[in-house]
Each structure stands twice: as C-alpha cells, then as structure tokens.
Amino acid sequence: ADGVDPSDVIFAIGKSVFGVELDSSPAPAKSKADDLPIVDFDYMKQFMKEVFLSYGVSPDRAETCSEVLIEADKRGIDSHGLGRLKPIYCDRMDNGILWPDRPIDVVTESETTALVDGNLGLGLYIGPHCMQMAIDKAKKYGVGFVACRNSTHYGIAGYYATMATEQGCIGLTGTNARPSIAPTFGVEPMLGTNPLVFGIPTSDEYPFVIDCATSVNQRGKIEKYAREGVETPRGAVIDDKGIERTDTEGILRDMVLGKCALTPMGGAGDKMGGYKGYGWATTVELLCIALQSGPWGEDICGLDRATGKPKPMPLGHFFLAIDIEKICPVDTFKKNTGEFLAALRASKKAPTGPGRIWTAGEPENDARTERTGQGGMKVNVPLQKNMQALRDNRPGLKEKYGKLPFE
C-alpha cells in the first residue's frame, strides 16, 4: 500500500497475532514527504565514493563501498544506505576505531573453505571480497564457505546473498554486531541483531532474498524512527527493569549505556516464540565467533564503558555459496522456485489485509521500481545536513560539490 514501509510488516503481524500494540501516532503528513528533494542514484553513489576517497580508501574499494550503500537505498532499506555513511563509517574512521584501507589476509584456506582477516578495515569492501571468494570456490568445487574475523559493519547482508544469486548460486551469509538483543527471560543485551540471510535464484525478475534481523527490530530502524521523530512501536525494546519502551531518543541513549535491549523475533518471553529468535541470533553469533576465535559481547560494543570513549568493534561474518549447476540445471531450479513463489502470491488473501501477498525480495524490487521511476531517492533534512557536513569538512569535496541538489 502507498506509504507503507515493508519493514514495518512485522509490527502489523505483532498486533494481529501476538497482541503487540502499535504506536497509534498519526503518520507524518504526506505533503512533507512529497516536498523532500529527489537525488539521482548515480549522483548519490558518486558523492559517497568521493567521501570514501577523501578518507584514503583506494578507488576500487571506494567504488565497492559506495555500491553496497546505494544498493540499500535502491531497495528501500533506508536504514543502511546514505543514512549510515556519516554516523557508522565516517564518524568511526574519524574516531580511529575503523580504518579506511587495510589489507585482507587469508589465514587458512582449502579448496572449499577459507578464514579471512579484515584487519578492521571497512566491512563494505571486506564483505564483497569474502563472498566472491566463496562463489569462486563454489563454481569450481560446488560449495564455498568463507569465515571472516576482524571486520566491521558490512552494510545490508542481502547484498551478499544477491551476489550469489546473480552468479547462479544459492547464497547464505550472517554477521554479528554489538550486543543489542537480550536472551529470552533476560534484559541484558548479549547478542547482536545478527541477520541470517538467504538468497535463492528464481524465474522472477528479482531473486528470493530474505534479509532481516533476528530481533523484532534493529538499531538502524530505531535510528530511522529518530530521524523521523516518531516513537518506537511497543514490543521491540525492553529495558533493564523489564519495561517495554517506546521513547525512541531515550532508547538510543540507553542502548549505548547497556540499559535497553532489543527483543528477539517473537518478543520477550516464550509465549509467542521469542526463544526461536533468540536461538537463531545465537546460531549466527556462534558462526561469527567460533571459527574465527572472535570477540563478542562487551568486546564488540564499540564503547569503553569506563571512559565513555569509542573503541573498535571487530566483527565476524560468514559466507556460503552453493553452485546450483553442480546439482541440477539452473533454469530448472529457477522454474521450480518461481512456480512455488507465484503460487504463494496467488494464494487466498486475507479479507482485512492489503489485498496482496509478497514474497521475500519483492518489496525491495517494488522500492527499486518506484524510486527509479521517480528519478532517485528522497533525502530528508537530517541526511541533507550529514551531506553538507561531509562536503564542508572533507578535503576536496567543497570544490566538487559547491552546491548540492537540495541547496
């Protein structure tokens, strides 16, 4: 439906099935969104690339980093595109807890596996490197698996699953993150939002890609609520007193202090299956630390609790690719997946619903189609200010971007 953010679907499910109340505040007036400037994707990608270049990222890696970020915006995943350029990548490089151009070392390797060390460089170029390694191994031996340590935030996990589907493979990836999720029956943030992401080729114009956190919500979405000035839906966050919180700014502040935690998929407790999300989040965490001998918990929280100063967040990832042609013709596989997914979309609709059933990857394709048709992405005021700050403070950018499209 017009104006509906696909990533909010879980809250509609929560209300109708789990009894979780939605925020009843009225949506922002549509006219405000209509008034936002639209910036061409190519322009925005080049701007982000120039920002990375200004930090000393090599040209090929800057291209890759900007591609991962703009792909998020094309898919409508606003929490992981331009919205993260300054606060997640630039600010962390400024704070000396993330480095712009570190080597990628292969620690161990076999025909089908590898362990890679990213040396705390940008996860936005480490991730694509590792996924391509896994795909190359799969193309030769049928299966490729790459574990990575000492990486950093690698953007939308679905990017890597799509890398696999575009090359005739089934893709699987996951990453840990700073502790945000409380275990079932707990209130202390112990697990990252830890997406477990699959990509499967289909006969549709877009692949089946399920890319979502193992929590009810993720930090990036709460940051998006903050930029929009709206409350966080009830049921997504619990504090150290066991109270479900909705005050977005307070949540973000207390999450940094370890006083708030996200709930796992299914919510707090076990009545609605919260232990399932907890179990999947734990699975991802294990696959991101056990093979890598990597840190977890407080060691990847990004903040020295004693001094309040930022500290590095060495993350782990894993990447799996399976070459379909080694098992069956890829066209047969796509036909089979496409027929089943079409049947799901054609199945009986709920009379009280939107009149449509989506399959994973379809909302992102809808967003891409809409945004391409409108000439690019809308840029809200906070992101405009971020772009201006980067333009004004990074060497060489003032000369190239004396006037931004919204100025």
Side-chain angles (χ1 to χ4, degrees):
D2 289 346
V4 174
D5 186 339
S7 58
D8 278 335
V9 171
I10 185 62
F11 295 111
I13 296 171
K15 184 176 183 182
S16 61
V17 179
F18 301 146
V20 175
E21 285 298 321
L22 286 169
D23 173 23
S24 59
S25 302
K30 189 175 181 181
S31 60
K32 289 185 178 180
D34 290 342
D35 290 341
L36 291 175
I38 294 174
V39 179
D40 177 77
F41 285 129
D42 290 339
Y43 179 98
M44 191 61 75
K45 178 184 173 182
Q46 184 63 30
F47 176 83
M48 292 192 284
K49 179 178 179 179
E50 294 286 354
V51 170
F52 285 119
L53 288 171
S54 77
Y55 278 94
V57 181
S58 64
D60 58 333
R61 288 178 169 180
E63 172 72 17
T64 299
C65 291
S66 59
E67 171 62 25
V68 176
L69 290 184
I70 201 63
E71 185 63 21
D73 286 314
K74 288 179 179 180
R75 297 184 190 191
I77 309 174
D78 297 330
S79 59
H80 281 63
L82 174 65
R84 294 221 156 174
L85 174 64
K86 184 179 184 299
I88 296 297
Y89 304 106
C90 297
D91 288 358
R92 290 180 183 178
M93 286 189 285
D94 289 338
N95 287 326
I97 62 172
L98 169 62
W99 285 266
D101 207 26
R102 287 289 181 88
I104 300 173
D105 297 323
V106 177
V107 181
T108 60
E109 186 173 18
S110 72
E111 287 81 358
T112 57
T113 65
L115 173 61
V116 168
D117 193 316
N119 292 298
L120 292 176
L122 281 159
L124 294 172
Y125 65 72
I126 297 169
H129 178 93
C130 292
M131 189 73 233
Q132 192 58 52
M133 280 186 70
I135 293 168
D136 290 344
K137 290 177 180 296
K139 286 298 180 181
K140 189 171 183 179
Y141 297 104
V143 176
F145 180 87
V146 176
C148 179
R149 71 187 187 196
N150 291 323
S151 184
T152 56
H153 193 283
Y154 75 167
I156 53 166
Y159 183 88
Y160 308 106
T162 306
M163 283 181 63
T165 63
E166 289 176 345
Q167 298 178 65
C169 292
I170 297 167
L172 170 65
T173 185
T175 179
N176 63 352
R178 54 186 172 184
S180 301
I181 299 177
T184 299
F185 300 125
V187 295
E188 181 182 356
M190 292 293 295
L191 299 150
T193 45
N194 296 9
L196 182 62
V197 180
F198 289 84
I200 299 174
T202 79
S203 57
D204 294 314
E205 59 183 280
Y206 50 88
F208 178 93
V209 176
I210 178 70
D211 177 5
C212 54
T214 46
S215 54
V216 169
N217 213 337
Q218 80 278 4
R219 188 186 300 257
K221 190 62 183 295
I222 296 174
E223 291 167 351
K224 183 170 179 280
Y225 293 145
R227 291 195 297 270
E228 296 171 350
V230 300
E231 288 190 341
T232 297
R234 189 174 300 279
V237 177
I238 191 170
D239 68 15
D240 55 4
K241 296 180 177 62
I243 298 171
E244 294 181 356
R245 297 272 294 275
T246 62
D247 56 314
T248 300
E249 294 290 348
I251 287 169
L252 289 172
R253 180 181 62 252
D254 285 348
M255 286 183 74
V256 173
L257 299 174
K259 294 181 178 180
C260 266
L262 302 176
T263 57
M265 186 66 72
D270 63 351
K271 290 183 179 179
M272 293 298 129
Y275 60 88
K276 298 177 183 178
Y278 166 42
W280 284 120
T282 304
T283 300
V284 174
E285 194 83 38
L286 290 171
L287 290 173
C288 291
I289 65 172
L291 293 166
Q292 300 87 339
S293 295
W296 51 272
E298 283 292 302
D299 289 337
I300 57 171
C301 75
L303 185 71
D304 186 318
R305 305 285 189 197
T307 65
K309 294 181 179 179
K311 67 177 184 179
M313 287 178 279
L315 302 183
H317 318 308
F318 59 89
F319 306 84
L320 174 69
I322 303 170
D323 184 24
I324 294 166
E325 283 285 356
K326 297 291 193 297
I327 302 171
C328 74
V330 69
D331 287 342
T332 299
F333 181 91
K334 288 183 175 181
K335 176 177 177 293
N336 294 339
T337 57
E339 288 178 351
F340 177 69
L341 294 171
L344 289 177
R345 294 191 291 267
S347 62
K348 187 175 180 180
K349 315 297 187 293
T352 57
R356 179 180 176 185
I357 293 171
W358 288 264
T359 52
E362 191 175 10
E364 291 82 359
N365 185 67
D366 289 349
R368 183 190 300 276
T369 301
E370 178 185 354
R371 294 183 175 196
T372 300
Q374 72 183 12
M377 57 185 286
K378 293 182 178 180
V379 183
N380 62 33
V381 173
L383 295 185
Q384 293 175 32
K385 292 180 178 178
N386 282 352
M387 290 181 69
Q388 289 170 327
L390 290 168
R391 185 269 314 271
D392 294 342
N393 293 296
R394 296 306 306 162
L397 290 190
K398 189 83 169 180
E399 294 77 12
K400 295 180 179 178
Y401 296 96
K403 186 176 182 180
L404 294 166
F406 45 79
E407 292 180 322

